[in-house]
Amino acid sequence: MISNNNSSCSQQTKFNLVQVKGTWIRQSDQFQLAEGKLSDAKIYENKSEHGVSWTVVSPVVFTYRVIQCKNILDPTNDTLLWGHLGEEELKHTLSNCKPPKRFVVIDENVNKLYGSQVSQYFKARGVVYKILPLPTTEENKCMELVTKILEEVHEFGIDRRSEPIVAIGGGVCLDVVGLAASLYRRRTPYIRVPTTLLSYIDASVGAKTGVNFAGGKNKLGSYVPPVAAFLDCSFFQTLPPRQISNGMAEMLKMALMKHRGLFELMETEGRKLLHTKLQVCKTRPEQEDSATAIIRIAIETMLEELAPNLWEDDLDRLVDFGHLISPELEMRILPALLHGEAVNIDMSFMVYVAVQKGLLTVDEKNRIIQCMLSLELPVWHQDCTLELVQKSLKERLKHSAGSLRMPLPTGLGTAEIFHGMIGDGILCQAHKKWTDELSSSGDK
């Protein structure tokens, strides 16, 4: 192709890439000289009077599994060991005579509850394994923790393609291990086993990894999904009620953004599910119970939003609702608020902004706030000042390509992303009403 640019001529040729007997060969569309394995990658060669340049277009495809299962630590259950493999991969792996190896990072509190079962599982399966318990809290979410994991992995020794690192714990554990795995040998597969509700429906099903840095939440990280996430809700039985509420905030986020049915389910059944810790209680086998439904819809809606935009090339993201103010608030008063609690305070304020902008009715606002309170979530905090709100939105503007990209509810289960900066008048009025009406609810 010939094109003119500023009075200079350039010629562009597109090349396909074909692998023949182990060697990649570039071929133009006009001259297909050999047959072999065709890559999705393309090379575009531009020749001009200034020389030659090449543009490489190489699609990166990740395939990962999100599997709900029961009794994952039962030695007769294959999921933890082989659930990440497809049928053909499993046949190939099982034909190997050497025993499998697994390096496991487990949150130290989870280790006290389940560590012996994890050990018994791998012993019963003849696995060579090492378990590394770590204090994976938000305060410790740093590169030092990542380095500790990498040093231990290096000493233990694993095959960087066939022996995935296993992370068992809450969101911090999954994030930190994911970052370590993405760095070791430039990318080592890893498996996520979430043990909190929040990580079950949020951190475990996406691609993001990260640690806190320079006082900012998740300032260092990567976009590398696990090969699999194994979801077993029986872990919820040992969680305190506050941790169940914490996870329900992320569920409510998805309900408000895109699923009225989920909101209505949480509105009517949420409090009961909180106190039963979302354990399945089926009276009619053919009918989906409310615990199963609420978890399924939350995961499905989350995957719908994450899968087309794993690398966040598009900064317009509905899942950012509740995440404009909460990072600053959460880090400022760490460890006073859990992540989901900070998110809920953010959402609560944004509901008032939506009312002030005429997007929600007062009745819809009242239903949302009442639902939050029924889930025992904080709806206001004294440290979420107007100044903090304004600072957070300015930071958002700075790091979102000059556009605010603020998701706001426009009804129960519908939303829109707004790009312009919200006027100080609206923010001030919304903050005043929010404080006047909800400050008596107290803060955690």
Side-chain angles (χ1 to χ4, degrees):
M1 179 181 73
I2 305 292
S3 64
N4 292 315
N5 184 18
N6 295 330
S7 301
S8 63
C9 291
S10 64
Q11 181 177 5
Q12 184 185 78
T13 306
K14 182 181 83 171
F15 291 98
N16 299 311
L17 293 161
V18 180
Q19 189 181 44
V20 181
K21 295 182 179 179
T23 299
W24 287 101
I25 303 168
R26 67 177 196 171
Q27 296 183 347
S28 68
D29 287 337
Q30 291 84 4
F31 302 102
Q32 298 290 337
L33 302 177
E35 291 186 2
K37 178 182 176 183
L38 180 65
S39 171
D40 290 331
K42 311 291 180 190
I43 297 176
Y44 295 87
E45 183 180 271
N46 287 276
K47 292 181 179 179
S48 72
E49 61 187 54
H50 303 293
V52 182
S53 64
W54 298 267
T55 300
V56 177
V57 179
S58 183
V60 179
V61 176
F62 277 109
T63 300
Y64 65 103
R65 301 165 188 266
V66 179
I67 300 173
Q68 286 188 306
C69 57
K70 295 177 181 177
N71 304 315
I72 193 170
L73 298 181
D74 182 339
T76 63
N77 188 336
D78 288 338
T79 305
L80 185 58
L81 190 56
W82 304 124
H84 63 290
L85 297 176
E87 194 173 322
E88 289 304 314
E89 293 173 299
L90 181 57
K91 284 180 185 176
H92 175 74
T93 302
L94 292 176
S95 66
N96 195 329
C97 343
K98 71 172 187 175
K101 293 179 76 173
R102 291 294 183 271
F103 186 91
V104 181
V105 181
I106 188 169
D107 174 81
E108 63 181 11
N109 290 320
V110 176
N111 187 55
K112 292 171 188 174
L113 294 167
Y114 298 102
S116 61
Q117 291 182 58
V118 175
S119 293
Q120 288 165 14
Y121 178 93
F122 287 122
K123 282 179 185 174
R125 303 299 299 248
V127 176
V128 178
Y129 69 95
K130 179 178 176 62
I131 297 176
L132 177 65
L134 288 176
T136 54
T137 63
E138 197 68 44
E139 303 95 296
N140 296 328
K141 192 179 183 184
C142 59
M143 280 303 296
E144 285 77 11
L145 215 54
V146 173
T147 304
K148 171 68 175 171
I149 294 168
L150 293 173
E151 288 170 347
E152 295 279 351
V153 167
H154 181 67
E155 184 179 337
F156 178 68
I158 57 172
D159 185 292
R160 66 175 178 142
R161 289 292 173 261
S162 64
E163 294 169 348
I165 299 170
V166 181
I168 305 176
V172 173
C173 179
L174 306 187
D175 281 357
V176 171
V177 174
L179 180 56
S182 73
L183 292 172
Y184 189 67
R185 304 296 297 272
R186 296 190 176 90
R187 183 168 63 86
T188 295
Y190 70 102
I191 287 168
R192 286 173 168 165
V193 183
T195 58
T196 64
L197 176 58
L198 189 142
S199 60
Y200 190 102
I201 54 98
D202 185 19
S204 66
V205 300
K208 291 199 287 190
T209 75
V211 295
N212 302 331
F213 176 73
K217 188 172 175 65
N218 295 326
K219 285 291 181 72
L220 300 179
S222 62
Y223 295 99
V224 179
V227 288
F230 301 141
L231 313 181
D232 184 349
C233 64
S234 64
F235 286 116
F236 303 162
Q237 295 175 77
T238 52
L239 290 176
R242 186 182 176 192
Q243 281 285 357
I244 302 293
S245 292
N246 185 48
M248 283 184 145
E250 288 284 354
M251 289 179 156
L252 186 57
K253 174 186 78 175
M254 301 313 298
L256 293 175
M257 289 291 95
K258 59 181 298 178
H259 204 292
R260 186 185 180 103
L262 178 57
F263 174 78
E264 291 173 345
L265 192 56
M266 296 188 77
E267 187 179 35
T268 57
E269 301 286 326
R271 191 168 186 83
K272 181 185 78 174
L273 294 174
L274 168 63
H275 293 295
T276 58
K277 299 186 178 181
L278 285 101
Q279 296 307 296
V280 174
C281 181
K282 278 197 173 185
T283 53
R284 298 173 62 185
E286 74 282 359
Q287 187 174 2
E288 186 178 48
D289 67 288
S290 55
T292 303
I294 199 172
I295 291 171
R296 175 185 57 77
I297 298 169
I299 291 174
E300 285 176 354
T301 52
M302 188 72 77
L303 286 173
E304 283 173 357
E305 292 298 314
L306 297 180
N309 193 27
L310 273 182
W311 288 269
E312 297 184 8
D313 294 320
D314 184 355
L315 296 176
D316 288 353
R317 304 173 71 244
L318 284 184
V319 292
D320 280 350
F321 183 55
H323 291 72
L324 275 69
I325 301 165
S326 62
E328 178 75 19
L329 176 63
E330 184 180 354
M331 296 301 290
R332 180 173 292 192
I333 59 175
L334 200 67
L337 289 171
L338 299 176
H339 176 69
E341 293 171 340
V343 167
N344 200 75
I345 291 166
D346 185 326
M347 293 194 299
S348 172
F349 172 69
M350 289 301 171
V351 163
Y352 275 75
V353 172
V355 172
Q356 202 64 36
K357 284 176 64 67
L359 305 174
L360 285 179
T361 66
V362 172
D363 179 62
E364 288 170 332
K365 175 204 74 176
N366 291 339
R367 286 178 65 182
I368 293 168
I369 298 300
Q370 188 53 48
C371 182
M372 291 173 171
L373 291 170
S374 74
L375 300 174
E376 299 180 16
L377 286 162
V379 293
W380 182 87
H381 199 284
Q382 63 182 8
D383 288 289
C384 191
T385 62
L386 182 59
E387 291 72 25
L388 181 140
V389 169
Q390 291 169 327
K391 178 188 174 186
S392 299
L393 296 184
K394 285 176 183 174
E395 282 295 306
R396 170 78 171 184
L397 201 62
K398 188 192 304 183
H399 299 292
S400 296
S403 174
L404 192 59
R405 305 174 194 275
M406 175 188 281
L408 287 174
T410 56
L412 298 175
T414 61
E416 190 177 328
I417 295 174
F418 294 85
H419 293 84
M421 191 65 176
I422 304 295
D424 284 342
I426 289 177
L427 288 178
C428 289
Q429 291 167 28
H431 194 275
K432 185 177 186 308
K433 286 187 179 179
W434 182 60
T435 300
D436 289 346
E437 292 183 12
L438 299 183
S439 59
S440 60
S441 69
D443 52 69
K444 294 196 175 187

